[in-house]
């Protein structure tokens, strides 16, 4: 008996009174860099240690459906019926943008102008040369070679693909009917590459290639991105200001379960391919303390994580949305 | 193979009988280990089949021949990855076997003896290189080389010829079925070469010396003495390579182009079973038809590997010619 109590004392001493509260999450790879930075900062600030595994959005949904993690993360919003069935609360964490990248001799950063319509036709294999009349018509000052277009897409199922194909579907009715939007689709043309790095490397290696990556990845690796025409009819460059403008012009009040549509928003300076990424939290947590820690973590991230997010070229949520999410935590999560 | 092994010595009758309990226990443990392997294999097959059952029920045999893979419409067919798996593995064997034979022949018959050890060690080291390294090497070195120097001239020269031209059509991405086969060939080369070298060395010197005594050339000794003597093990080594080529995942994923479209061109992109499973698995939801289709593909890969093994065993049965 004595040894047992001694062992208990030893265990308690080892655990220590100031041990950080651990929380576990799994899912989307798209926001993984910002979650990692938030995790480091939050450990120092509020003593919550985040263990996040970037296993993909689908995997994150599976894990939270099985309740093997404290929260799941997904780029594609989960539909309302499934959320109700699985007793999950869905809320946005942060927003990000996707940008097209190209490798055309003589074309510099953000010089080429493209539209959603043209992107869809390129990825459908209908526009096959860079000097196609549709492209040269909107790029008057640019000398485009008679080079074959080599479209590159994400071969692995990916939230980035979901966002990009959502945009193509919004821009082109034929794409919407024939291919659609999902984490992986039946691509009519082009080659697949694994991950953002695979796309970037393939585009760099193949003359005439076009691909799409998360914006942070494009800026960090100095890839040649393009301009895009937004809904208001203006050509915009992929800048943080253009992303923020898109985030601000999203209609958050109408969105069910915060599944807001930020694709091709109406703002005059908006970048057209912007998306929120979501957190899935059980409404009936097994362990209320851990669930509370998750909410505390994101509360801290909303208030103090904006700088970290914008350093990594992600976009923090607008203040009213943050407050609405905080209200949902209070009303919907059993404590 | 059997005749090259010495038959195991018979246990001595005079061995002590005191440890009969130990014998029984040991025999039971050994038997359990043997049965366990069978059970494990069976359990894997059964669980793959059960996982793939919704797909087989939904698409039937058509799953094998349907080239449509459309996650949005929930239509899945396995023809493209099955075709890609078979074609890349067979092409890799076609490229690797002659080279491996040359290496083994040179090392056992022609090379000066001081040179045999370093080359032999190099081959064994090649076999120890992790497949992800081959993938990266292929992606960053071979793919640009193919895109720049190999594919454009071949496409220009050959693509207008009827029939043959279809094999070389398409934009020069550098990736594709041909590049994947090339990487696979390099990966399985050390296995085949090392096996061939080892079995060529098992040929008793007296056979070869007799042949040389009769006036045979080195090549005639190789063809008439060494190869017939080691035929079984040589085919075994090739099967080992084929097995690795069929299931290779990472290296192929890097260079095959990952496209679920059927391509007649060797330079066209494709997909293999192992690579599509690795790529699509993280984004497949539990209980979805997509996950079931991936498991069904896993089951089919299992069956293909099983058939390859069965065919090799049948061919290698003593007396089969």
């Amino acid at each position: 008996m004595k040894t047992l109590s001694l062992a208990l004392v030893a265990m308690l001493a080892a655990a220590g009174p100031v041990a950080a509260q651990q929380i576990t999450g799994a899912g989307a790879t798209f926001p993984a860099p910002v979650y990692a930075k938030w995790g480091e900062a939050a450990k120092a600030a509020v003593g919550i240690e985040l263990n996040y595994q970037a296993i993909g959005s689908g995997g994150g949904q599976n894990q939270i459906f099985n309740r093997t993690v404290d929260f799941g993360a997904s780029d594609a919003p989960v539909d309302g019926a499934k959320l109700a069935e699985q007793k999950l609360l869905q809320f946005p964490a942060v927003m990000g943008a996707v940008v097209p990248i190209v490798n055309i001799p003589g074309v510099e950063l953000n010089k080429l102008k493209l539209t959603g319509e043209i992107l869809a036709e390129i990825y459908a294999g209908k526009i096959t040369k860079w000097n196609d009349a549709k492209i040269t018509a909107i790029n008057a000052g640019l000398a485009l070679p008679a080079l074959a277009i080599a479209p590159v897409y994400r071969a692995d199922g990916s939230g980035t693909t979901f966002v990009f194909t959502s945009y193509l579907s919004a821009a082109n009715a034929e794409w919407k009917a024939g291919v659609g939007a999902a984490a992986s689709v039946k691509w009519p043309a082009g080659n697949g590459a694994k991950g953002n790095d695979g796309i970037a490397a393939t585009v760099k290696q193949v003359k005439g290639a076009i691909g799409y990556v998360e914006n942070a990845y494009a800026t960090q690796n100095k890839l040649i991105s393009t301009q895009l025409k937004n809904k208001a009819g203006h050509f915009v460059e992929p800048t943080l200001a253009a992303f923020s403008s898109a985030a601000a012009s999203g209609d958050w009040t109408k969105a069910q379960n915060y599944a807001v549509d930020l694709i091709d928003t109406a703002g005059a300076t908006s970048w057209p391919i912007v998306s929120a990424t979501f957190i899935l939290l059980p409404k009936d947590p097994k362990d209320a303390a851990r669930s509370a820690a998750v909410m505390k973590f994101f509360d801290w991230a909303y208030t103090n994580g904006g700088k970290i997010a914008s350093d990594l070229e992600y976009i923090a949520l607008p203040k009213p949305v943050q407050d609405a999410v905080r209200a949902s935590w209070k009303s919907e999560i059993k404590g | 193979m059997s005749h090259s092994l010495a038959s195991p010595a018979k246990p001595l009758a005079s061995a002590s009988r005191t440890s009969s309990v130990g014998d029984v226990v040991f025999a039971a443990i050994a038997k359990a280990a043997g049965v366990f392997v069978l059970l494990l294999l069976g359990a894997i097959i059964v669980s793959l089949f059960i996982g793939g059952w919704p797909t087989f029920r939904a698409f039937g045999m058509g799953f094998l021949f349907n080239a449509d893979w459309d996650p949005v419409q929930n239509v899945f067919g396995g023809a493209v990855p099955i075709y890609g798996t078979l074609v890349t593995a067979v092409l890799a064997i076609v490229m690797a076997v002659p080279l491996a034979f040359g290496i083994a022949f040179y090392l056992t018959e022609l090379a000066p003896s001081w040179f045999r050890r370093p080359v032999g060690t190099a081959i064994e080291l090649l076999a120890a290189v992790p497949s992800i390294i081959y993938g990266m090497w292929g992606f960053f070195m071979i793919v640009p080389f193919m895109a720049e120097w190999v594919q454009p001239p071949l496409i220009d020269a050959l693509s207008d010829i009827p029939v043959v031209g279809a094999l070389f059509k398409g934009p020069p991405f550098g990736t594709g079925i041909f590049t994947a086969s090339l990487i696979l060939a390099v990966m399985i080369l050390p296995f085949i070469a090392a096996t061939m070298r080892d079995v060529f060395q098992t040929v008793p010197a007296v056979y070869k010396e007799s042949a040389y005594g009769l006036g045979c050339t080195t090549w005639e000794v190789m063809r008439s003495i060494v190869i017939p003597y080691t035929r079984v093990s040589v085919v075994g080594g090739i099967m080992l390579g084929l097995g690795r080529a069929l299931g290779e995942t990472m290296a192929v994923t890097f260079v095959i182009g990952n496209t679920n479209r059927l391509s007649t061109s060797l330079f066209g992109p494709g997909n293999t079973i192992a690579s599509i499973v690795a790529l699509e698995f993280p984004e497949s939801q539990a209980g979805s038809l997509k996950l079931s289709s991936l498991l069904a593909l896993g089951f089919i890969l299992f069956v293909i590997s099983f058939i390859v093994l069965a065919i090799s065993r049948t061919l290698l049965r003593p007396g089969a010619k």
Side-chain angles (χ1 to χ4, degrees):
Chain A
M1 194 61 202
K2 199 169 186 182
T3 46
L4 185 68
S5 54
L6 269 178
L8 269 174
V9 168
M11 266 169 66
L12 285 172
V18 289
Q21 167 81 45
Q22 290 250 354
I23 55 173
T24 56
T29 50
F30 178 64
V34 68
Y35 292 169
K37 285 278 180 198
W38 280 353
E40 280 170 32
K43 191 180 172 189
V46 287
I48 294 175
E49 197 175 338
L50 172 65
N51 177 2
Y52 183 75
Q53 295 168 2
I55 57 172
S57 298
Q61 292 175 18
N62 288 344
Q63 298 269 322
I64 194 63
F65 293 165
N66 295 329
R67 300 291 197 264
T68 47
V69 286
D70 296 326
F71 69 88
S74 174
D75 289 329
V78 178
D79 70 84
K82 190 85 183 171
L83 286 173
E85 178 200 319
Q86 296 286 342
K87 296 200 179 65
L88 291 171
L89 173 69
Q90 171 175 279
F91 61 90
V94 69
M95 291 171 288
V98 174
V99 300
I101 53 168
V102 294
N103 174 1
I104 313 166
V107 171
E108 290 165 22
L109 180 69
N110 296 342
K111 286 287 182 276
L112 184 70
K113 291 175 180 163
L114 291 174
T115 67
E117 189 74 26
I118 291 175
L119 270 181
E121 291 196 15
I122 286 175
Y123 272 93
K126 286 179 189 153
I127 297 181
T128 55
K129 294 270 186 202
W130 280 113
N131 63 351
D132 190 283
K134 280 184 184 160
I135 304 177
T136 51
I138 54 170
N139 288 284
L142 218 55
L144 288 165
L147 189 64
I149 303 180
V152 186
Y153 53 82
R154 283 285 288 271
D156 45 336
S158 149
T160 313
T161 299
F162 170 77
V163 174
F164 187 69
T165 50
S166 300
Y167 172 61
L168 296 186
S169 296
N172 184 309
E174 243 178 274
W175 184 276
K176 190 176 185 179
V179 183
S184 61
V185 300
K186 186 188 171 194
W187 295 95
N191 265 35
K194 189 177 183 308
N196 279 306
D197 46 345
I199 291 209
T202 309
V203 169
K204 259 185 196 164
Q205 284 171 7
V206 180
K207 284 199 183 71
I210 181 167
Y212 59 92
V213 293
E214 289 152 26
N215 173 62
Y217 199 85
T219 31
Q220 279 161 17
N221 293 285
K222 302 197 166 42
L223 304 171
I224 307 296
S225 51
T226 70
Q227 299 184 30
L228 276 180
K229 189 179 180 179
N230 64 19
K231 202 169 193 173
H234 303 293
F235 285 98
V236 284
E237 295 188 10
T239 59
L240 207 50
F243 305 154
S244 303
S245 160
S249 55
D251 192 352
W252 294 88
T253 49
K254 277 202 196 125
Q256 293 284 318
N257 300 307
Y258 300 102
V260 67
D261 186 7
L262 297 176
I263 297 292
D264 216 8
T265 49
T269 56
S270 294
W271 179 254
I273 325 179
V274 173
S275 170
T277 181
F278 300 91
I279 299 295
L280 301 165
L281 192 61
K283 289 183 178 176
D284 54 343
K286 281 188 299 192
D287 184 341
R290 291 178 79 106
S291 176
V294 172
M295 288 184 278
K296 192 173 164 196
F297 174 82
F298 282 103
D299 179 55
W300 174 87
Y302 283 170
T303 315
N304 303 297
K307 172 81 172 65
I308 292 173
S310 58
D311 283 351
L312 291 168
E313 309 249 349
Y314 292 85
I315 312 134
L317 293 181
K319 187 80 171 55
V321 181
Q322 295 183 3
D323 291 337
V325 172
R326 288 188 178 105
S328 299
W329 290 341
K330 275 219 179 74
S331 60
E332 303 212 26
I333 308 280
K334 282 181 202 154
Chain B
M1 191 76 185
S2 55
H3 53 282
S4 65
L5 290 171
S7 56
K10 290 248 157 45
L12 292 173
S14 61
S16 94
R17 292 264 161 206
T18 51
S19 61
S20 64
V21 177
D23 284 351
V24 170
V25 170
F26 184 78
I29 291 174
K31 189 175 172 187
V35 171
F36 174 72
V37 172
L38 270 183
L39 280 180
L40 193 66
L41 193 72
I44 291 172
I45 297 175
V46 168
S47 62
L48 279 176
F49 186 76
I50 291 173
W53 177 243
T55 293
F56 292 128
R57 201 176 45 197
F59 303 117
M61 284 299 281
F63 182 72
L64 296 178
F65 307 105
N66 181 6
D68 210 23
W69 181 276
D70 191 339
V72 181
Q73 310 293 335
N74 251 337
V75 174
F76 300 99
V80 174
I82 292 169
Y83 168 82
T85 303
L86 294 176
V87 168
T88 51
V90 169
L91 272 181
I93 289 291
V94 167
M95 288 189 248
V97 167
L99 204 54
F101 177 77
I103 292 172
F105 186 30
Y106 177 73
L107 283 183
T108 50
E109 303 294 331
L110 303 175
S113 49
W114 61 267
F115 194 55
R116 293 180 187 184
R117 269 186 73 91
V119 174
T121 313
I123 290 173
E124 276 151 26
L125 283 178
L126 264 186
V129 175
S131 67
I132 184 88
I133 306 291
Y134 280 109
M136 287 166 69
W137 170 71
F139 188 71
F140 288 109
M141 309 297 292
I142 301 299
V143 168
F145 179 76
M146 297 287 291
E148 197 82 17
W149 301 103
V150 180
Q151 295 186 348
L154 280 176
I155 291 170
D156 287 347
L158 299 172
S159 62
D160 291 334
I161 305 169
V163 187
V164 182
L167 289 175
F168 298 97
K169 272 198 164 64
F173 260 106
T175 52
I177 287 172
F178 183 79
T179 311
S181 308
L182 198 67
I183 302 289
L184 277 179
V186 177
M187 291 182 69
I188 61 177
L189 180 66
F191 286 94
I192 303 178
T195 315
M196 282 188 180
R197 185 200 54 172
D198 289 349
V199 299
F200 287 173
Q201 280 169 346
T202 63
V203 178
V206 63
Y207 288 11
K208 290 199 278 187
E209 279 159 14
S210 318
Y212 283 124
L214 290 170
C216 288
T217 62
T218 312
W219 172 244
E220 281 165 348
V221 170
M222 185 44 113
R223 205 188 56 196
S224 314
I225 307 295
V226 177
I227 291 184
Y229 187 82
T230 56
R231 178 176 52 99
V232 173
S233 312
V234 166
V235 177
I238 294 174
M239 286 300 150
L240 193 71
L242 186 60
R244 179 153 189 206
L246 281 173
E248 178 47 47
T249 311
M250 276 328 290
V252 171
T253 302
F254 268 84
V255 298
I256 198 166
N258 307 303
T259 299
N260 292 316
R261 295 187 301 270
L262 212 51
S263 168
T264 54
S265 171
L266 289 179
F267 295 156
N271 222 336
T272 67
I273 293 176
S275 129
I276 197 174
V277 171
L279 287 171
E280 299 280 3
F281 205 71
E283 290 292 334
S284 305
Q285 286 182 16
S288 66
L289 199 57
K290 186 173 165 188
L291 186 65
S292 165
S293 299
L294 293 175
L295 289 166
L297 280 174
F299 176 75
I300 290 167
L301 183 59
F302 210 117
V303 172
I304 293 174
S305 306
F306 187 81
I307 291 173
V308 166
L309 247 157
I311 290 174
S312 73
R313 287 280 154 214
T314 320
L315 284 176
L316 298 178
R317 243 195 341 244
K321 283 275 168 184

